[in-house]
Structure formats: C-alpha cells, structure tokens
Amino acid sequence: MPAEISQETDKLTILPWHQQLISQILKLKNQDKLPHAILIELKTKVDSSKLGHYLVQSLLCQSTQGLPCGHCTNCRLVLSNNYPDFTYTTLIEDDKTHKMSKLIKVEQIRRLIHQISLTDNQGHGKFSLIYPAEKMNLAAANSLLKTFEEPPKDSTLILLSHNPGKLPITIRSRCHHWHLSNPNPDEAMQWLLSK
C-alpha cells in the first residue's frame, strides 16, 4: 500500500491541515448526505494517496471518535488494502514495458465499475478511490461517466486530482468539489518544529 503507516499506532496519519476537509466529509456522512462523487483538488504535487486512504479509513472506521482508530476490523482491512468494498485505482506498471504507466486506462476503470456495482459485502457502503484522477485517459473517463449518472446504491467515488482541469467537464460537473489548500507558512513551520 502506498500510504505511510505509523508503527507506534499502526494507523494512517495525515497532515494537520487536511483534518478540516476530512471532518467536513465525515459530517456529511453522519447526516446521511454523503455525495456519490467527491472531487478533491490538491494544491500540491506531492503524492497524496495517503490522504485518500485516510479519508476512506475515516469513513469506514467503526469507532465513534471521528478519526480512524487503526484497530477495528474495517481500519485494519483498509490498512492492508483488503477491504472488500474498497477499490483503489492508480497508475500501474505496464506488463509489456515494465515501466510505470503514464495513464489510468479504461480496463482499470471497468474493473472499478464492476467492483462498485457488486452487492455491498460489509454493510458500510462501497468506496472507490481514483488517484491521480487527471491521469485517466479519455476512454477511461468516458466509461466512468455512466456510473456518475446512475451511481450504484450506497457507493461513493473519490477522485483526488492535482489538475482537475484535465478531467472532462462531464465528470467535474457531477462531483461535489473540494479544494485542499497548502498550509500557511506559520502553520507549516509549527508542524515542522513539532517533528
């Protein structure tokens, strides 16, 4: 799994300035208003797969603390990338060239669509994470469109993107859009000094 795991707490950790976004999304979930499609615009070029996994873990955690506990069954399954109702789609190694692909291909999105259309295995909803979403080729984005128009029951698609302008407008217009800004210099310095 691409996310960092703290050995002391055995759970994903995120940066403090991400917590407000996580809290807003959790509030919607607790009010049964979680949108079927979420687009999070990242203002950094740093690998943000950890943020996506943390968000999914937060949404599935069985504790009532608002933060993932890292110890319940759902947290452990997300941490090990084995939660049956969670699909993570990202850039993968090309079988022919053995190099990292530069695009998310239609076959990967078809697999995601198949997974999200299956019956909810655990009873907590189905979640799919696409990162970096702007790397979907046109065929992949187009194949995802029907799922946006007719989302399966209790399913949530989460797209993380450094450049959402590269996504087709038909995808962007069907997502609940959040912007995740970088911290101000004081906040970043305080965090660095605490490490």
Side-chain angles (χ1 to χ4, degrees):
M1 182 159 128
E4 227 176 84
I5 299 174
S6 164
Q7 296 196 356
E8 294 131 12
T9 59
D10 195 28
K11 64 182 178 179
L12 291 167
T13 57
I14 61 161
L15 299 169
W17 46 89
H18 293 168
Q19 193 56 53
Q20 183 179 359
L21 172 74
I22 302 289
S23 296
Q24 289 172 348
I25 294 172
L26 283 173
K27 184 177 179 181
L28 289 175
K29 180 191 179 233
N30 293 335
Q31 296 171 343
D32 289 325
K33 295 180 180 178
L34 192 64
H36 72 276
I38 297 171
L39 172 60
I40 300 173
E41 182 177 346
L42 308 160
K43 298 291 186 185
T44 178
K45 299 296 179 196
V46 175
D47 180 1
S48 298
S49 57
K50 181 171 39 167
L51 170 64
H53 281 83
Y54 185 91
L55 174 57
V56 171
Q57 188 184 8
S58 298
L59 290 166
L60 290 170
C61 183
Q62 295 164 311
S63 90
T64 58
Q65 302 302 315
L67 297 173
C69 69
H71 302 293
C72 69
T73 302
N74 290 353
C75 280
R76 301 212 47 89
L77 287 170
V78 171
L79 284 168
S80 64
N81 218 12
N82 287 314
Y83 189 82
D85 297 320
F86 171 54
T87 306
Y88 177 47
T89 304
T90 191
L91 300 172
I92 58 173
E93 186 177 292
D94 187 284
D95 291 335
K96 295 175 187 171
T97 64
H98 301 290
K99 293 181 180 177
M100 190 61 70
S101 176
K102 293 183 180 182
L103 296 171
I104 295 173
K105 298 178 181 169
V106 69
E107 297 82 21
Q108 293 174 266
I109 297 301
R110 285 183 182 145
R111 178 184 162 271
L112 177 152
I113 292 167
H114 172 73
Q115 291 296 115
I116 205 166
S117 68
L118 297 174
T119 302
D120 180 357
N121 201 333
Q122 300 292 309
H124 302 291
K126 296 169 286 186
F127 296 89
S128 296
L129 172 63
I130 302 173
Y131 174 75
E134 72 274 9
K135 297 292 185 178
M136 282 189 289
N137 67 23
L138 188 56
N142 285 338
S143 71
L144 191 60
L145 192 54
K146 183 168 174 146
T147 304
F148 276 91
E149 292 168 347
E150 300 171 23
K153 186 176 184 253
D154 297 325
S155 65
T156 303
L157 287 149
I158 301 167
L159 285 73
L160 296 181
S161 177
H162 298 283
N163 191 348
K166 289 187 174 180
L167 289 166
I169 187 67
T170 51
I171 296 286
R172 286 181 281 145
S173 66
R174 287 166 174 81
C175 293
H176 195 109
H177 195 156
W178 271 284
H179 301 269
L180 189 60
S181 298
N182 290 325
N184 65 50
D186 291 339
E187 192 176 20
M189 184 59 72
Q190 184 178 3
W191 178 79
L192 284 170
L193 292 173
S194 72
K195 294 295 158 195

